[in-house]
Amino acid sequence: MMHTIKAMKIEAARQEPKEIEKKFLLKGLPDKLHNYKDIRQGFIDKNDPTIIKVIKEVFTPKYGNIDLATIDVVRIRESITPGNKPKFTFTLKGPGHFERSEYEVLIKGALFSDLWKKTSLGNVYKRRYIDKLSPKLTIEIDEYYDELEGLFTA
């Protein structure tokens, strides 16, 4: 007896990168924090025609087409760890607070400078302390500056 087996094409579902994050408000900084990086970040209007063009240029090669209707936050960030060169990132975040989609690419300093002029939705300056509590557990504590002076989150 002969059986016929029909082959089916199965496509893997595209996995959206996810950010899972829970923040805690602190009353101050704990003692003995050593490792840190200084961060400045700006938030950009996703509907700006120039930004739409840049998003397509820098995110499509890594993630394919991203539906901007599903994006709530457009952020650029400069991170400087003492003794190292600055790192520049461009991030798109979906809706939500605890868990949401997140797309991130490294960008050059020149593009960061151009985009910084477009940060019409606000800027944040902070120092992020990063310490390992155990081999599998790292804590990040943010100390904010300027308008948010006195705010500490972990």
Side-chain angles (χ1 to χ4, degrees):
M1 178 175 196
M2 183 180 237
H3 296 281
T4 304
I5 301 173
K6 290 186 177 181
M8 295 176 53
K9 183 178 178 185
I10 300 172
E11 293 185 31
R14 183 175 138 194
Q15 293 287 328
E16 287 186 344
K18 292 275 186 202
E19 170 189 52
I20 299 173
E21 180 175 70
K22 195 167 191 179
K23 290 266 187 194
F24 299 92
L25 186 60
L26 303 177
K27 292 181 181 178
L29 287 176
D31 293 332
K32 299 181 183 176
L33 295 174
H34 305 289
N35 304 310
Y36 69 87
K37 59 184 168 184
D38 288 320
I39 297 172
R40 72 173 168 142
Q41 58 192 33
F43 299 90
I44 302 172
D45 180 359
K46 72 176 183 179
N47 297 310
D48 180 310
T50 304
I51 297 307
I52 292 170
K53 182 181 177 208
V54 173
I55 287 171
K56 288 180 191 254
E57 288 173 3
V58 301
F59 284 92
T60 301
K62 184 173 180 180
Y63 297 107
N65 290 326
I66 297 170
D67 180 4
L68 288 181
T70 66
I71 299 301
D72 280 1
V73 176
V74 176
R75 180 191 74 204
I76 58 169
R77 175 184 279 174
E78 174 187 38
S79 302
I80 304 172
T81 304
N84 293 310
K85 292 182 179 179
K87 176 181 168 186
F88 304 99
T89 55
F90 192 0
T91 306
L92 307 176
K93 295 184 178 207
H97 295 287
F98 178 66
E99 180 177 334
R100 60 181 168 182
S101 59
E102 180 177 280
Y103 306 92
E104 187 168 88
V105 293
L106 289 171
I107 60 174
K108 296 196 180 289
L111 178 55
F112 177 87
S113 295
D114 289 344
L115 292 174
W116 188 257
K117 298 169 192 162
K118 298 273 189 181
T119 57
S120 60
L121 301 179
N123 300 318
V124 173
Y125 300 88
K126 62 187 178 180
R127 175 166 285 175
R128 174 166 289 162
Y129 298 92
I130 305 160
D131 279 309
K132 279 213 172 276
L133 301 177
S134 72
K136 293 184 178 183
L137 184 60
T138 299
I139 188 166
E140 295 181 348
I141 298 174
D142 291 339
E143 174 184 15
Y144 294 83
Y145 299 110
D146 291 343
E147 297 88 26
L148 298 173
E149 184 99 23
L151 176 64
F152 305 96
T153 60

